[in-house]
Amino acid sequence: MLNQKAGMGFIIAPLVIKRLLYLILITSSAFIIQDYLGSSQKYWLVWSACILGLITHGDSFKRRITVILVAGLIAAFSAFLSACLAFYPFILAVFLFMLTISCVAVSLRYSEYFFVAFVINLFAIMSGELPAPVLIIANRFLIITFGMGIALFFQVLFYPYFVRNELQSFVVITLRNLKKVNEEIFSCFIDAEYPDNIYLYERRLHLQKNRYMQSIRRLREIISLASRKMDESESGYYAFLLGRLDLLYDNMLDYSQLRRRVTDHATFSVCLQELSAVSNEIGRVIEGMMMRVMNRNYHLDTDALVRHIKRLEENYTNVLQVAAREPLVFLLFINSLKCFCNAIDAYLKRVLPEASSYS
C-alpha cells in the first residue's frame, strides 16, 4: 500500500518534469544572454523571460503562443509608458490606478487570465518606480520583448506531445477527483458525526463534485482538441473513456442517495466494516485506472471489490433486513454498487481483454 501511494504521488511526473525542464532552460538561457548584454536594463531580461514563461493558459499551441505574445507586448508597453510618466507622480498614479482597475475587471470577467493581468500590472508598477531617460526606457522595452521571445522560443521547442501530455494529466486529475467524490460520499455513511454536521459534510461533497465537473469539462475540451491528431482507434478509446467516467459518476450519485434515504444514521453502524472495505476498494480500483492511463505496470481487477460487495449483500440478508427501518434502500444501494463494478469491468475489457466481469 505504501508503494502504491508513493507511485500515485508521481503519477503525472512526465508533465511535471517537462514543465520543470522548460522553466530551467528559460532561466538558464536568460541568465547566460544577460551576461552578454551591455545595457543597464539587462536585468529585465530574466524578469520577463521567467514570468512570461509561467503563462500556461491556452488550449492549443497557437492560442498559448498568442497569449504569451500579447501579454509580453502589453507588459512591455505598460512598462515603457509607466517609466515615461515616472517624472509626473500624479499622472503616473492615475495611469496605474486605471491600469489596475482594468486588470481587475479582466480577471473578474475572465478568471483564466488572472495571471496574465497580474504580470502586466506588475511590470507597469515596477517600471514606474525606475525612471530613466527615454532612450534607456526604449531599451527596457526591447529587453522585455527579448525576454518574451525566449519564452516563445522554448514553447515552440517543447511543442511536440504538448496536447498529449495535457490530455494524459487531465485524465489522471479527473480520476483523482472522482476518487475524492467517492471518499466524501462514504464519509457521510461511515462518520458518526454526520447527523450533527450535515451542512459541513454536504458542503465538502458539493465542492468536490464541482471540482470533478470542472476537470471533466476541461478533459472534454482537450480530447476534442487532440482528436484531430489521433487515429481512429485512439480517438475511440478516449470517447469510450469519457463514457465510462460519466457512467461511474452517475453510479456514484445514485449510491450517494443512501445518505438521504436512511432516517436513522445509527443503522450504518451495523454494516460499518463492510462499507469501509467497499469504499477503500473503490479507491484502489480508481487508482489502478490512473496507473493504467499512465501506462504503468499495475495489476487491476475488481475481484476484491466483488467480494466486499457480496459481504455487504450477505449482511443485508442476515442483519439489515431486520435491523434497518428502510431495508429496501440498502438493496438499491447494493444494486448501484454492482452497476459501478460492471462499469469498471467494461473498462477493463477494453484495456485488459483477459479481465473477467462481475458475476
Side-chain angles (χ1 to χ4, degrees):
M1 178 62 71
L2 181 62
N3 291 336
Q4 178 180 325
K5 289 184 177 180
M8 294 306 300
F10 295 96
I11 198 161
I12 55 173
L15 180 64
V16 173
I17 291 173
K18 191 170 184 177
R19 285 183 176 174
L20 180 61
L21 181 60
Y22 165 73
L23 292 175
I24 289 174
L25 288 174
I26 286 179
T27 305
S28 303
S29 300
F31 273 107
I32 292 172
I33 295 173
Q34 180 185 245
D35 290 338
Y36 292 94
L37 294 177
S39 173
S40 61
Q41 303 296 304
K42 61 183 181 180
Y43 57 90
W44 284 91
L45 183 69
V46 177
W47 271 97
S48 57
C50 293
I51 293 180
L52 293 172
L54 292 174
I55 296 176
T56 57
H57 178 73
D59 295 334
S60 64
F61 173 73
K62 181 179 179 180
R63 187 173 299 178
R64 182 170 295 188
I65 290 293
T66 302
V67 170
I68 295 176
L69 181 63
V70 172
L73 291 176
I74 295 177
F77 180 74
S78 298
F80 175 82
L81 192 56
S82 182
C84 290
L85 297 175
F87 296 103
Y88 310 97
F90 178 76
I91 300 177
L92 175 63
V94 173
F95 168 72
L96 292 177
F97 175 77
M98 296 301 296
L99 180 64
T100 302
I101 292 295
S102 301
C103 290
V104 170
V106 169
S107 300
L108 292 175
R109 181 66 179 84
Y110 306 99
S111 58
E112 64 271 21
Y113 291 107
F114 168 79
F115 184 71
V116 174
F118 170 77
V119 168
I120 293 171
N121 202 36
L122 177 65
F123 272 62
I125 292 173
M126 289 176 56
S127 185
E129 294 296 319
L130 299 169
V134 175
L135 289 178
I136 294 180
I137 297 173
N139 187 249
R140 181 182 303 174
F141 176 90
L142 294 175
I143 289 178
I144 292 175
T145 55
F146 190 16
M148 174 193 68
I150 294 175
L152 290 174
F153 171 76
F154 284 105
Q155 278 286 335
V156 175
L157 191 64
F158 279 77
Y159 173 65
Y161 302 106
F162 162 75
V163 175
R164 188 176 296 274
N165 287 339
E166 290 284 319
L167 173 59
Q168 200 174 53
S169 66
F170 267 93
V171 171
V172 173
I173 291 170
T174 302
L175 285 168
R176 183 171 292 168
N177 285 332
L178 187 68
K179 176 176 176 284
K180 290 180 180 178
V181 169
N182 178 74
E183 291 172 354
E184 294 298 339
I185 290 172
F186 274 88
S187 69
C188 297
F189 307 149
I190 296 170
D191 295 352
E193 297 83 5
Y194 175 75
D196 299 324
N197 301 277
I198 292 178
Y199 174 79
L200 175 63
Y201 281 84
E202 291 294 331
R203 176 169 172 77
R204 279 164 38 185
L205 177 56
H206 174 72
L207 292 175
Q208 193 54 54
K209 286 194 292 187
N210 282 345
R211 292 190 187 101
Y212 171 79
M213 294 306 296
Q214 290 171 3
S215 62
I216 193 71
R217 190 182 304 117
R218 173 67 175 156
L219 179 60
R220 289 183 190 281
E221 293 172 355
I222 296 177
I223 288 177
S224 176
L225 178 69
S227 61
R228 305 168 191 168
K229 301 180 180 180
M230 293 179 183
D231 56 37
E232 187 175 348
S233 61
E234 191 174 14
S235 178
Y237 165 74
Y238 280 108
F240 170 79
L241 179 61
L242 274 178
R244 289 299 98 187
L245 291 173
D246 286 338
L247 185 56
L248 292 175
Y249 183 65
D250 288 343
N251 290 143
M252 282 189 180
L253 294 183
D254 190 27
Y255 65 65
S256 72
Q257 296 304 312
L258 182 67
R259 73 191 192 281
R260 303 182 186 277
R261 294 168 177 167
V262 174
T263 55
D264 184 7
H265 194 272
T267 307
F268 290 116
S269 62
V270 178
C271 55
L272 189 62
Q273 185 175 356
E274 289 83 358
L275 289 174
S276 298
V278 169
S279 175
N280 292 335
E281 195 57 33
I282 288 176
R284 187 195 70 80
V285 169
I286 295 176
E287 287 179 356
M289 291 178 67
M290 295 160 70
M291 291 291 189
R292 296 298 307 182
V293 168
M294 296 300 296
N295 299 317
R296 300 294 179 86
N297 186 16
Y298 184 86
H299 178 67
L300 175 61
D301 60 61
T302 58
D303 295 343
L305 180 57
V306 169
R307 289 196 303 271
H308 292 310
I309 294 175
K310 285 185 175 179
R311 286 175 187 171
L312 180 60
E313 194 170 14
E314 291 170 0
N315 185 301
Y316 168 78
T317 303
N318 299 324
V319 182
L320 285 171
Q321 274 189 334
V322 179
R325 291 182 184 176
E326 307 91 352
L328 181 60
V329 300
F330 281 93
L331 187 61
L332 297 174
F333 174 70
I334 292 169
N335 184 65
S336 296
L337 290 176
K338 290 181 178 180
C339 291
F340 182 90
C341 200
N342 286 333
I344 295 289
D345 276 326
Y347 169 78
L348 293 181
K349 284 183 179 179
R350 182 67 180 261
V351 298
L352 301 170
E354 71 276 8
S356 60
S357 61
Y358 185 92
S359 57

